[in-house]
Amino acid sequence: NLALAVIFLIWRFRQARYFLWMLGACMVLAMGANLHFLGVLENVTIPLPYGLIENLPLIKYARNPARIMAFGYLFLAVLVGGGVAACLSAIRSRGGRSLAAAALFAIIFLDFFQTSKDATAVELPAYYQAIRDDFASSKTPFAILDLPAELGRYSMYQTLHEIPNVQGYLGYRFGSPLIDHLTKNMNLLKEQKALLTENRVKYLIFHKKFLRWDGRIQKHADYWGRTTRATSILSRIYEKTYEDSEAAVFRVYS
């Protein structure tokens, strides 16, 4: 695709340059407010244009500057289309143009074709089952809270157990969600329990291990030790209804 875009720029630069400029503008804006190098922002203080617009109305609610590249791809598509037109215009015979078009489309397809079909198998852990049974029979709806905070994992499980969860990932937070107050009160367990009860958060699931836990890794082993100790502390405040090597489930109220 990039080669076809270059061909269009060489063939008709005056026509293609506008799309190139717009593609470049989208690429720069998609980099965010500050320059990152290899995904890391350390000792780099080079501001980028997005820093001037990130606080404007509507735009400030954008969840991720990188999504601006969705518009950049539209301009790239025009450049690629121009490159295809340039290649076909150089061939006089109708049959030759058809073969060339088929070859170009085949190359583009192969460029994006993925041979790996691996996918992560997702199964609902056993410690959610009792909560699901309670949720199905309860006349009063309730929610659950997964701890410690971990991006994406609990939302993945929620697609299976389908119980409202006050823990999750938000690209932009409007107002002050409940989870912020719970985090502030992690060392004040009685106050935290009162907040959970008030907001009908009936169960707290405390995960002891990383999603891909490996006891041979020291970081993972240390994490398991800390979370195991935290589980014993939570047992002083909440009623423990289930525990295994993976997690412990606590009932906040009856």
Side-chain angles (χ1 to χ4, degrees):
N1 284 330
L2 293 177
L4 289 169
V6 171
I7 291 173
F8 184 38
L9 289 169
I10 296 174
W11 184 46
R12 292 184 177 176
F13 179 76
R14 292 177 62 87
Q15 180 182 358
R17 58 181 177 175
Y18 301 106
F19 302 104
L20 178 63
W21 291 342
M22 294 304 298
L23 172 60
C26 291
M27 292 175 65
V28 172
L29 291 175
M31 294 179 185
N34 294 283
L35 180 64
H36 290 61
F37 180 72
L38 297 179
V40 179
L41 181 61
E42 293 181 355
N43 301 322
V44 178
T45 57
I46 301 178
L48 295 175
Y50 188 82
L52 301 175
I53 65 174
E54 65 178 348
N55 292 317
L56 295 178
L58 298 180
I59 295 179
K60 68 179 181 180
Y61 298 122
R63 294 174 60 185
N64 193 327
R67 298 188 178 188
I68 296 176
M69 270 308 296
F71 299 99
Y73 291 140
L74 298 177
F75 297 107
L76 176 61
V78 176
L79 292 172
V80 172
V84 172
C87 293
L88 297 182
S89 66
I91 302 175
R92 296 185 178 277
S93 66
R94 183 175 180 179
R97 287 196 297 269
S98 298
L99 290 175
L104 288 173
F105 293 146
I107 292 173
I108 293 174
F109 174 79
L110 292 174
D111 186 28
F112 285 94
F113 183 73
Q114 295 291 330
T115 57
S116 176
K117 303 298 182 182
D118 295 339
T120 301
V122 180
E123 296 181 359
L124 187 65
Y127 44 82
Y128 283 108
Q129 188 57 51
I131 303 176
R132 290 183 67 186
D133 295 340
D134 187 8
F135 186 79
S137 59
S138 177
K139 296 180 180 180
T140 304
F142 61 82
I144 63 175
L145 169 65
D146 286 278
L147 289 175
E150 185 175 320
L151 299 182
R153 176 181 183 179
Y154 310 134
S155 297
M156 177 183 69
Y157 286 150
Q158 190 181 25
T159 63
L160 300 177
H161 62 64
E162 299 181 333
I163 303 173
N165 193 339
V166 298
Q167 177 69 274
Y169 172 71
L170 295 173
Y172 189 91
R173 299 188 176 193
F174 296 87
S176 182
L178 174 64
I179 189 62
D180 285 350
H181 299 283
L182 294 175
T183 303
K184 294 175 183 177
N185 287 273
M186 280 302 295
N187 296 322
L188 304 172
L189 294 182
K190 292 184 179 179
E191 289 81 353
Q192 183 196 68
K193 183 176 181 180
L195 272 174
L196 292 172
T197 303
E198 179 184 355
N199 291 275
R200 298 206 308 272
V201 180
K202 191 172 183 178
Y203 289 94
L204 189 156
I205 303 94
F206 198 84
H207 299 259
K208 301 178 184 179
K209 298 179 179 179
F210 290 116
L211 183 59
R212 292 183 176 275
W213 188 81
D214 187 343
R216 296 170 297 180
I217 301 176
Q218 188 61 41
K219 176 183 176 182
H220 290 203
D222 293 342
Y223 180 85
W224 186 79
R226 292 195 303 270
T227 54
T228 301
R229 290 190 294 271
T231 300
S232 63
I233 296 174
L234 291 171
S235 300
R236 304 171 188 172
I237 303 297
Y238 302 103
E239 176 190 357
K240 187 191 299 181
T241 61
Y242 180 93
E243 184 175 15
D244 58 18
S245 62
E246 302 289 331
V249 178
F250 300 93
R251 184 186 290 118
V252 180
Y253 62 89
S254 299

